[in-house]
């Protein structure tokens, strides 16, 4: 008997766990009158920041936040300050010197300040983590209340990768003191455009 | 040698440093309070717990079906799935995949399962370099210690300890205790390890049957760095990690971080549904003494644990005795019940490291009946004739006494008179290790029953 068969057999033999039905999530979960302001508060509480701007202000806004970053990559349409095309590289190790990544986010979740990213326009999933700083750009209307609504919008048809990102990377492993910037980006902005 | 697995004896070492014990207690209580605050911002919190319990129970009742569904869907996404009956086989499978790909250097992100299987020493004995990349795990790895908590692996250490370790192992400035400085130093060091690694191993928080992918939650982003830079990603999981549908994840991603550290969500909640471009992804599914839980009326729910650590943060014993005193890969209430069930002889003291206060059960996001499991373990150990004579006799005496209400009342009366006047050596002696660092509270003048009668006796 293979280990797989053995495990399945052991699961089936005298299993005393009583079956229950799975929950239904329609109309379930807290909602907000002002999703954007709740999102902002949640994101700030984890060391990130949300901005709300007009589409035309994107470049100017990013330039003013990060005036000194040298190597910039982006997959956001209409953003012309990028000088490094991460998607052209075959090997993600080549992304190691990126100072700033301006990346498209799919939608935001108000209850926890997270943004869903999926690598459709981003060849290397490493980009979200290897860049020293990250800005996620998304449409202002792309926001949901809670995680139940969020998973309604997600699917995994083909092999891929997706993540909820909330703020920059961080750790509190040394005496519970919060330090922003562990392995991933040291700062994280979310920019909503209209 | 029984001394190796003797909770009171190990706890005695920990409480000997009074200042550190109180500091540890406070640090965890702080996390527990954060959990309380954030859980209160979710009006449907209790319903979420109920749903989590339902989903887990449904999955466990149909575990064979969901594992097969998961395997099928994962295969369709180009992921290779392996099954291992025990720790040995798990290590062999991981090693085989690594050596087939000529791997010399591995970066690993936090996984209690690989701790349980002792994967690191196994791979090291085969000449591979294994680097733990979660900061807390890295710290304890450099110190040659096991983690003392499942979410906060280095919670037992002070910044001075970390600084000394880093100075010795990484050449950081001696006496620089600044957490930011130390974290940055580890970041630089580990970044190079990520860039040099040939493979990344991660744990799994949830495996989704209907999509065939796995979810990993971290704050540092280390799992993602390790799984997305090298061409090879191996994810290791216990059979209990599977959940039926993608939308069920909403319940767990809402509960996990809030219960663990009081955060609304971890910085990264990553859904891996296939290998990186031109790479490979493998998933190893491990039993290692998990299936027997499904056959036990008393302990079946222990398998529903999502490893948030809330039960240890709240446990008065854990907070005051430290994770290492449990001598089991998972400490605290959940570790005590898992360990005792899996190897009652070895862990016979763990179910007694509990005051039966029930706090663990109250905070558990998946509603595991932790305190009653620990209580049941005590009876089972007695039945199996495993506990010491001294403990067995006192349990026997207590149950005999409690079954005789009149005698119990009388004994209480006597005790309230006698104990306060007993000489110290009779209360605090070598049979009472816990009494070493603490005094008994003053005895009340009256019993609860008497007080109750006085207050409410006439309310009919
Ligand atoms: S038993 Fe419950 S509270 Fe404890 S770690 Fe598991 S899920 Fe969390």
């Amino acid at each position: 008997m293979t280990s797989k068969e053995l495990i399945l057999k052991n699961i089936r033999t005298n299993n005393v766990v009583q079956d229950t039905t799975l929950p239904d999530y329609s109309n379930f979960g807290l909602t907000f009158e002002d999703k954007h302001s709740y999102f902002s508060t949640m994101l700030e509480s984890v060391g990130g920041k949300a901005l709300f701007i007009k589409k035309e202000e994107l470049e100017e806004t990013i330039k003013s936040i990060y005036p000194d970053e040298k190597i910039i990559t982006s997959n956001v349409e209409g953003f012309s300050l990028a000088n490094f095309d991460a998607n052209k590289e075959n090997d993600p190790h080549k992304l190691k010197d990126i100072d700033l990544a301006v990346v498209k986010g799919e939608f935001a979740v108000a209850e926890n300040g997270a943004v869903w990213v999926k690598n459709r326009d981003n060849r290397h999933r490493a980009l979200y983590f290897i860049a020293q700083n990250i800005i996620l750009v998304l449409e202002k209307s792309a926001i949901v209340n809670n995680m139940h609504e969020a998973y309604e919008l997600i699917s995994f048809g083909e092999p891929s990768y997706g993540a909820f990102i909330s703020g920059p990377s961080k750790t509190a492993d040394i005496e519970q003191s919060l330090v922003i910037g562990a392995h991933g980006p040291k700062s994280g902005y979310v920019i909503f455009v209209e | 040698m029984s001394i190796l697995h003797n909770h009171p004896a190990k706890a005695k070492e920990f409480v000997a440093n009074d200042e550190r014990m109180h500091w540890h207690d406070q640090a965890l209580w702080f996390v527990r309070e954060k959990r309380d605050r954030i859980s209160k911002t979710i009006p449907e919190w209790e319903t979420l717990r109920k749903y989590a319990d339902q989903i887990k129970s449904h999955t466990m009742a149909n575990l064979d079906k969901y594992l097969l569904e998961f395997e099928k869907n994962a295969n369709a996404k180009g992921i290779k799935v392996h099954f291992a009956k025990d720790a040995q086989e798990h290590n062999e499978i991981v090693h085989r995949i690594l050596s087939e790909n000529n791997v010399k250097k591995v970066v690993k992100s936090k996984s209690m399962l690989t701790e349980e299987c002792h994967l690191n020493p196994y791979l090291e004995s085969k000449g591979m370099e294994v680097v733990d990349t979660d900061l807390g795990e890295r710290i304890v790895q450099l110190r040659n210690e096991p983690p003392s908590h499942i979410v906060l692996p280095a919670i037992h250490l002070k910044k001075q300890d970390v600084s000394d370790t880093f100075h010795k192992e990484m050449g950081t400035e001696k006496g620089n205790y600044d957490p930011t400085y130390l974290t940055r130093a580890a970041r630089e060091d580990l970044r190079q390890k990520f860039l040099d690694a040939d493979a990344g191993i991660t744990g799994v928080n949830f495996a989704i049957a209907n999509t065939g992918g796995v979810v990993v939650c971290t704050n540092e982003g280390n799992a993602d760095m390790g799984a997305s830079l090298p061409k090879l990603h191996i994810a290791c999981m216990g059979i209990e990690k599977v959940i039926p549908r993608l939308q069920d994840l909403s319940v767990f991603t809402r509960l996990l971080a809030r219960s663990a550290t009081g955060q609304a969500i971890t910085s990264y909640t990553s859904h891996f549904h296939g290998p990186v471009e031109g790479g490979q992804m493998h998933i190893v599914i491990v039993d290692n003494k998990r299936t027997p839980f499904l056959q036990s009326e008393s302990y079946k729910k222990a398998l529903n644990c999502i490893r948030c650590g809330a039960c240890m943060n709240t446990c008065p014993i854990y907070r005051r005795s430290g994770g290492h005193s449990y001598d089991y890969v998972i400490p605290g209430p959940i570790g005590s019940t898992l360990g005792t069930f899996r190897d009652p002889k070895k862990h016979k003291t763990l179910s007694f490291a509990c005051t039966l206060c029930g706090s663990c059960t109250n905070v558990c996001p998946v509603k595991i009946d932790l305190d009653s499991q620990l209580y049941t373990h005590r009876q089972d150990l007695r039945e199996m004739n495993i506990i010491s004579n001294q403990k067995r006799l006192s349990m026997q005496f207590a149950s005999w006494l409690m079954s005789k209400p009149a005698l119990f009342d009388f004994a209480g009366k006597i005790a309230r008179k006698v104990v306060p006047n007993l000489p110290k050596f009779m209360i605090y002696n070598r049979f009472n290790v816990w009494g070493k660092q603490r005094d008994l509270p003053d005895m009340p003048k009256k019993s609860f029953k008497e007080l109750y009668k006085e207050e409410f006796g006439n309310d009919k």
Side-chain angles (χ1 to χ4, degrees):
Chain A
M1 203 182 313
T2 63
S3 290
K4 177 177 160 185
E5 286 158 0
L6 182 70
I7 293 170
L8 293 173
K9 187 184 125 231
N10 287 343
I11 289 171
R12 289 171 189 139
T13 312
N14 299 326
N15 189 332
V16 297
V17 184
Q18 282 222 313
D19 204 354
T20 51
T21 50
L22 288 173
D24 172 9
Y25 309 109
S26 36
N27 295 319
F28 180 67
L30 83 172
T31 56
F32 307 93
E33 251 169 51
D34 185 350
K35 296 196 274 282
H36 293 99
S37 82
Y38 202 85
F39 178 91
S40 297
T41 316
M42 293 315 283
L43 184 60
E44 257 169 61
S45 73
V46 292
K49 195 165 169 43
L51 301 173
F52 300 89
I53 60 167
K54 296 256 170 302
K55 219 171 216 136
E56 330 53 280
E57 298 162 357
L58 189 62
E59 283 168 13
E60 176 194 328
T61 310
I62 291 176
K63 221 177 179 164
S64 70
I65 314 174
Y66 294 108
D68 304 320
E69 304 305 333
K70 290 189 183 60
I71 304 181
I72 301 174
T73 190
S74 174
N75 61 22
V76 175
E77 262 170 63
F79 179 78
S80 64
L81 299 177
N83 53 20
F84 180 89
D85 189 348
N87 287 345
K88 276 225 180 87
E89 299 297 332
N90 289 327
D91 178 359
H93 289 81
K94 295 271 163 58
L95 313 186
K96 71 178 172 48
D97 297 321
I98 293 174
D99 295 310
L100 176 64
V102 181
V103 198
K104 223 153 97 173
E106 303 285 321
F107 64 86
V109 186
E111 74 156 304
N112 54 25
V115 171
W116 176 248
V117 297
K118 204 171 167 199
N119 61 349
R120 208 173 301 139
D121 314 292
N122 174 28
R123 181 171 169 194
H124 299 295
R125 50 181 87 158
L127 178 64
Y128 304 116
F129 311 97
I130 203 167
Q132 297 289 340
N133 302 284
I134 190 166
I135 297 179
L136 297 170
V137 182
L138 59 163
E139 295 289 330
K140 188 169 179 213
S141 56
I143 188 164
V144 297
N145 287 294
N146 55 50
M147 292 299 275
H148 310 290
E149 292 175 12
Y151 278 108
E152 289 292 310
L153 303 178
I154 298 173
S155 66
F156 286 99
E158 70 295 349
S160 58
Y161 168 87
F164 286 103
I165 299 184
S166 177
S169 73
K170 58 183 178 291
T171 179
D173 273 337
I174 301 176
E175 274 200 26
Q176 287 295 292
S177 342
L178 182 69
V179 179
I180 302 289
H183 308 291
K186 291 190 267 196
S187 72
Y189 280 82
V190 172
I191 300 185
F192 288 96
V193 292
E194 256 181 312
Chain B
M1 281 220 326
S2 65
I3 194 87
L4 278 175
H5 305 284
N6 183 332
H7 183 270
K10 281 266 187 158
K12 193 179 134 194
E13 291 167 24
F14 190 79
V15 298
N17 185 340
D18 194 55
E19 193 228 314
R20 186 168 288 230
M21 179 192 73
H22 283 291
W23 168 81
H24 188 261
D25 177 23
Q26 283 305 313
L28 288 151
W29 188 248
F30 174 74
V31 184
R32 151 78 210 260
E33 285 184 316
K34 266 173 59 187
R35 171 253 168 227
D36 288 354
R37 277 198 300 277
I38 198 144
S39 68
K40 294 202 169 62
T41 64
I42 307 293
E44 66 273 22
W45 185 258
E46 288 307 315
T47 314
L48 277 174
R49 289 178 72 210
K50 193 179 93 199
Y51 283 1
D53 180 12
Q54 269 175 27
I55 300 167
K56 279 288 179 180
S57 298
H58 169 81
T59 315
M60 294 306 160
N62 301 282
L63 192 55
D64 52 337
K65 186 183 123 211
Y66 285 120
L67 285 174
L68 288 171
E69 186 184 343
F70 174 75
E71 183 192 30
K72 189 180 107 229
N73 290 325
N75 285 340
K77 299 218 158 45
I79 302 168
K80 191 127 195 322
V81 179
H82 312 258
F83 287 85
K85 61 178 181 303
D86 56 19
Q88 177 70 23
E89 194 180 7
H90 161 265
N91 292 349
E92 285 166 10
I93 292 171
V94 173
H95 175 247
R96 199 189 62 232
I97 302 167
L98 294 174
S99 59
E100 276 169 11
N101 288 282
N102 299 316
V103 171
K104 296 272 171 310
K105 295 177 173 182
V106 185
V107 281
K108 209 171 118 248
S109 81
K110 194 155 66 204
S111 143
M112 293 317 292
L113 175 70
T114 56
E115 274 295 317
E116 172 188 323
C117 298
H118 303 288
L119 179 67
N120 287 18
Y122 183 87
L123 294 180
E124 281 158 8
S125 77
K126 307 275 179 194
M128 291 176 182
E129 179 193 278
V130 189
V131 175
D132 280 319
T133 56
D134 169 87
L135 179 59
E137 294 251 307
R138 181 69 180 149
I139 294 168
V140 294
Q141 184 184 36
L142 289 173
R143 295 171 64 89
N144 259 320
E145 287 174 13
S148 74
H149 186 288
I150 59 174
V151 174
L152 317 160
I155 187 76
H156 61 293
L157 296 171
K158 294 205 152 192
K159 51 191 178 197
Q160 291 87 319
D161 305 322
V162 178
S163 171
D164 292 347
T165 305
F166 280 12
H167 171 67
K168 205 166 127 231
E169 304 293 335
M170 287 170 3
T172 54
E173 233 170 84
K174 198 174 170 58
N176 192 334
Y177 301 152
D178 177 27
T180 305
Y181 166 76
L182 295 169
T183 302
R184 289 280 179 269
R187 176 187 167 101
E188 286 316 310
D189 188 56
L190 287 167
R191 208 174 164 86
Q192 201 51 50
K193 307 271 185 206
F194 282 120
L195 290 165
D196 294 345
D198 313 302
I201 297 178
T202 68
V204 167
N205 288 95
F206 307 101
I208 316 147
N210 78 344
T211 63
V214 297
V215 174
V216 182
C217 308
T218 73
N219 279 321
E220 300 180 7
N222 55 319
D224 299 275
M225 282 286 265
S228 59
L229 275 173
K231 287 252 184 276
L232 176 60
H233 172 199
I234 305 176
C236 303
M237 60 179 263
I239 50 169
E240 79 282 10
K241 296 285 179 181
V242 71
I243 59 167
R245 310 167 300 185
L246 185 64
Q247 67 260 45
D248 298 319
L249 253 183
S250 59
V251 172
F252 296 107
T253 48
R254 295 186 77 193
L255 286 169
L256 180 64
R258 288 185 174 100
S259 299
T261 54
Q263 288 169 252
I265 190 170
T266 48
S267 307
Y268 303 104
T269 304
S270 301
H271 302 53
F272 295 94
H273 282 75
V276 291
E277 193 184 297
Q280 295 173 42
M281 181 172 170
H282 296 258
I283 295 175
V284 188
I285 303 178
V286 186
D287 181 351
N288 205 30
K289 296 195 193 156
R290 282 167 172 72
T291 42
F293 282 92
L294 299 171
Q295 295 155 6
S296 161
E297 276 300 342
S298 311
Y299 307 112
K300 59 186 178 197
K301 277 189 127 189
L303 221 49
N304 295 358
C305 172
I306 57 171
R307 305 284 189 263
C308 71
C311 58
M312 37 206 90
N313 300 344
T314 199
C315 176
I317 306 282
Y318 175 87
R319 284 189 274 120
R320 288 170 184 78
S321 61
H324 288 155
S325 65
Y326 290 77
D327 247 336
Y328 183 63
V329 57
I330 299 178
I334 181 65
S336 295
T337 188
L338 290 170
T340 309
F341 183 76
R342 296 170 87 177
D343 194 341
K345 276 222 176 78
K346 192 166 171 187
H347 302 293
K348 62 181 182 185
T349 57
L350 289 186
S351 59
F352 295 91
C354 168
T355 62
L356 298 180
C357 71
S359 183
C360 47
T361 301
N362 286 324
V363 297
C364 176
V366 289
K367 285 177 169 272
I368 299 173
D369 50 343
L370 291 159
D371 61 321
S372 75
Q373 291 196 14
L374 293 174
Y375 181 63
T376 312
H377 273 308
R378 297 180 189 180
Q379 339 292 315
D380 290 354
L381 291 171
R382 195 178 146 249
E383 297 262 282
M384 290 187 270
N385 223 342
I386 282 177
I387 47 182
S388 67
N389 272 340
Q390 190 200 337
K391 204 161 244 165
R392 195 164 45 83
L393 287 175
S394 58
M395 279 172 79
Q396 222 154 12
F397 176 69
S399 73
W400 173 79
L401 185 64
M402 285 183 188
S403 65
K404 309 204 164 27
L407 190 59
F408 182 68
D409 284 353
F410 179 67
K413 229 174 227 144
I414 302 287
R416 283 190 296 281
K417 292 239 155 55
V418 174
V419 175
N421 300 316
L422 279 181
K424 281 238 159 200
F425 77 89
M426 289 193 68
I427 306 171
Y428 306 106
N429 52 39
R430 68 192 172 87
F431 295 116
N432 181 11
V433 183
W434 279 104
K436 288 252 155 68
Q437 297 292 325
R438 62 208 78 219
D439 271 325
L440 274 182
D442 288 338
M443 285 267 165
K445 295 253 150 31
K446 292 174 180 169
S447 75
F448 176 74
K449 210 159 141 188
E450 286 164 349
L451 287 170
Y452 186 88
K453 256 203 194 129
E454 279 177 25
E455 260 321 284
F456 303 106
N458 301 323
D459 295 0
K460 281 275 143 66

